[in-house]
Amino acid sequence: MNSYGKLFKGRNKINLRSYDPEIERYFQVIKEARSDGLKQVIINSEIMTDILYATLQLDGVILKVNMSDNTDNDVKDNVKAIISKLKSDKLIFVKLKEELEWAADSGSIDINSIDIYFLNKRYQIYSNGIIHGDNLDLIFREIMKPVLEKYFYGR
């Protein structure tokens, strides 16, 4: 079952709230989380790069990196070419990181979304903190939570 989740942060904890967009409105999910004292997580390009690296470290596959519309087409083409080679040689991630280095500023959201394949499931992770795919608890526990806790809380 494909489902959606939205990432939030509390005082010292990252949270994932699952929701069904056909039943719940996105703004209602945000409103309820805020009333519980949580803040939205926006996934900047630096965090996206860390998620990509964590995916590879855990034997996942990077399927696609969707850049913002104002990204140069040459960069988009280079990223696409590097990703196709990553499947056979994970050390090429260094080239991907170099290609994305200009976007990896902590304030940048030049990476709109990423598609990854992890433990036989496909996931889409968006810069607005939404995750889409099957078994969201798995990706949250194994990849998202560790990366985000390190970024926001230094652990």
Side-chain angles (χ1 to χ4, degrees), residues 1-154:
M1 174 182 143
N2 270 336
S3 56
Y4 288 83
K6 172 68 176 145
L7 295 163
F8 294 94
K9 64 179 180 165
R11 290 178 73 106
N12 58 7
K13 185 178 177 186
I14 300 296
N15 296 279
L16 175 69
R17 293 210 172 174
S18 296
Y19 72 99
D20 183 344
E22 293 187 21
I23 298 171
E24 301 168 274
R25 293 182 174 224
Y26 178 70
F27 80 88
Q28 192 63 38
V29 174
I30 304 293
K31 189 176 174 183
E32 288 173 15
R34 290 186 64 169
S35 70
D36 291 341
L38 301 174
K39 294 181 179 181
Q40 291 189 61
V41 169
I42 302 301
I43 303 175
N44 62 37
S45 296
E46 181 181 2
I47 297 170
M48 283 290 201
T49 304
D50 291 345
I51 292 167
L52 292 171
Y53 184 65
T55 299
L56 290 177
Q57 282 186 308
L58 295 170
D59 294 324
V61 177
I62 299 169
L63 299 173
K64 192 172 184 185
V65 175
N66 299 301
M67 304 299 291
S68 66
D69 290 340
N70 58 350
T71 302
D72 185 65
N73 284 332
D74 289 341
V75 172
K76 289 179 182 179
D77 292 342
N78 289 344
V79 167
K80 195 178 204 180
I82 293 167
I83 289 171
S84 69
K85 293 175 187 172
L86 264 174
K87 292 174 181 124
S88 60
D89 183 3
K90 289 186 181 184
L91 293 177
I92 292 184
F93 182 76
V94 172
K95 285 190 183 233
L96 179 62
K97 195 167 183 172
E98 287 172 2
E99 189 66 41
L100 297 174
E101 196 169 294
W102 66 272
D105 181 357
S106 65
S108 164
I109 52 168
D110 290 302
I111 300 174
N112 283 340
S113 66
I114 58 175
D115 294 12
I116 62 172
Y117 190 75
F118 180 66
L119 294 177
N120 301 315
K121 307 262 186 240
R122 184 182 179 129
Y123 299 97
Q124 293 173 298
I125 301 163
Y126 297 90
S127 59
N128 65 355
I130 291 178
I131 305 172
H132 178 249
D134 290 333
N135 195 356
L136 295 181
D137 290 336
L138 176 68
I139 191 171
F140 177 69
R141 181 181 65 248
E142 298 296 323
I143 295 178
M144 303 304 296
K145 187 176 179 186
V147 167
L148 293 170
E149 283 183 345
K150 182 177 180 187
Y151 184 82
F152 289 114
Y153 309 117

